[in-house]
Amino acid sequence: MAQFRLQGSKVLAVSLAGDAVKAKNGSMVAYDGRMAFKKMSGGGEGIRGMVTRRLTGEQMTVMEVKGQGTCFFADRASEINLVQLQSDTLYVESSNVLCTDGALRTGTSFTGLRGASQGNGLFTTTIEGTGQAAIMSDGPAVVLRVSPQFPLSVDPGAYIAHQGNVSQSFQSGVNFRTFMGEGSGESFQIRFEGDGLVYVQPSERNTVGGEV
């Protein structure tokens, strides 16, 4: 299995011994050893994945990297966060995916109104199985715990990913800036309940539903 490690906080080093990883197309910045690069369609999920992603609007262009040596990945000086999966699923915005272990499966999942509030369609990318994934954030990501006793509300512009036995619901009419009198127009929150982790970034995306 490929070995992931961070070089600082903005470069990912992946050691390969004949195995493969899937990475964001164009994110390779250097490598040593012998590597082969192959562009993959449909997020690396074949023809069915390509059709699904076109229909859902959840776009992800990836390449397969296979060989012997170390490959280095980065994208626009984004912060990189390593996530270890143990037979579970990570739900993550496709634009935040940098690299995944070749053994992990990617797909799409319906997310309802949360996707509509962000302008990213009604679907999000799933990463399933056992292995490591590297996801990106605008600034250092914060990992927040959700428990049955303590549900979590998140600004959709700051949301990156979540994992665990977590349900989500979409709420409108209030957000964090509304409390400070700085918001304008309709505003939104995502509420997470259950038992799991939510990854947020200290920088907000622009959303369709007004300022967040």
Side-chain angles (χ1 to χ4, degrees), residues 83-166:
V83 180
Q84 179 67 51
L85 297 176
Q86 293 288 344
S87 300
D88 57 344
T89 302
L90 177 72
Y91 298 83
V92 57
E93 299 299 329
S94 61
S95 59
N96 292 99
V97 178
L98 177 64
C99 185
T100 66
D101 193 286
L104 294 173
R105 303 177 304 276
T106 57
T108 55
S109 177
F110 181 70
T111 61
L113 292 175
R114 182 190 61 75
S117 73
Q118 290 183 238
N120 292 340
L122 297 176
F123 293 78
T124 196
T125 290
T126 58
I127 302 173
E128 300 179 79
T130 297
Q132 282 191 296
I135 61 176
M136 299 179 291
S137 57
D138 187 2
V142 177
V143 184
L144 302 175
R145 167 67 65 178
V146 180
S147 68
Q149 297 80 16
F150 295 98
L152 179 70
S153 294
V154 175
D155 192 311
Y159 168 83
I160 301 172
H162 72 273
Q163 65 184 127
N165 186 20
V166 175

Side-chain angles (χ1 to χ4, degrees), residues 31-54:
Y31 71 90
D32 59 43
R34 299 174 64 87
M35 298 287 171
F37 302 87
K38 181 175 69 174
K39 185 176 180 180
M40 306 181 76
S41 60
E45 299 145 29
I47 298 299
R48 182 176 180 180
M50 181 172 62
V51 172
T52 300
R53 288 185 178 275
R54 285 183 177 177

Side-chain angles (χ1 to χ4, degrees):
M1 185 174 292
Q3 300 297 314
F4 288 45
R5 66 182 188 277
L6 293 179
Q7 302 285 295
S9 62
K10 299 181 180 181
V11 177
L12 172 69
V14 180
S15 298
L16 298 172
D19 37 7
V21 294
K22 291 188 291 185
K24 183 176 182 179
N25 197 42
S27 63
M28 187 276 293
V29 295
Y31 71 90
D32 59 43
R34 299 174 64 87
M35 298 287 171
F37 302 87
K38 181 175 69 174
K39 185 176 180 180
M40 306 181 76
S41 60
E45 299 145 29
I47 298 299
R48 182 176 180 180
M50 181 172 62
V51 172
T52 300
R53 288 185 178 275
R54 285 183 177 177
L55 290 174
T56 62
E58 182 69 2
Q59 299 298 323
M60 186 170 69
T61 304
V62 301
M63 59 183 177
E64 181 187 66
V65 183
K66 185 175 183 179
Q68 299 270 353
T70 302
C71 198
F72 300 87
F73 301 97
D75 186 55
R76 296 173 296 177
S78 297
E79 299 280 338
I80 301 171
N81 314 271
L82 296 182
V83 180
Q84 179 67 51
L85 297 176
Q86 293 288 344
S87 300
D88 57 344
T89 302
L90 177 72
Y91 298 83
V92 57
E93 299 299 329
S94 61
S95 59
N96 292 99
V97 178
L98 177 64
C99 185
T100 66
D101 193 286
L104 294 173
R105 303 177 304 276
T106 57
T108 55
S109 177
F110 181 70
T111 61
L113 292 175
R114 182 190 61 75
S117 73
Q118 290 183 238
N120 292 340
L122 297 176
F123 293 78
T124 196
T125 290
T126 58
I127 302 173
E128 300 179 79
T130 297
Q132 282 191 296
I135 61 176
M136 299 179 291
S137 57
D138 187 2
V142 177
V143 184
L144 302 175
R145 167 67 65 178
V146 180
S147 68
Q149 297 80 16
F150 295 98
L152 179 70
S153 294
V154 175
D155 192 311
Y159 168 83
I160 301 172
H162 72 273
Q163 65 184 127
N165 186 20
V166 175
S167 64
Q168 59 182 4
S169 58
F170 183 76
Q171 299 176 328
S172 63
V174 64
N175 74 352
F176 303 112
R177 291 187 182 181
T178 303
F179 293 125
M180 303 300 293
E182 297 177 0
S184 61
E186 190 175 7
S187 51
F188 306 90
Q189 283 183 359
I190 314 167
R191 180 179 174 88
F192 292 94
E193 297 179 90
D195 186 11
L197 302 174
V198 178
Y199 298 78
V200 298
Q201 63 183 7
S203 177
E204 297 172 283
R205 304 179 187 87
N206 292 325
T207 66
V208 170
E211 290 191 42
V212 293

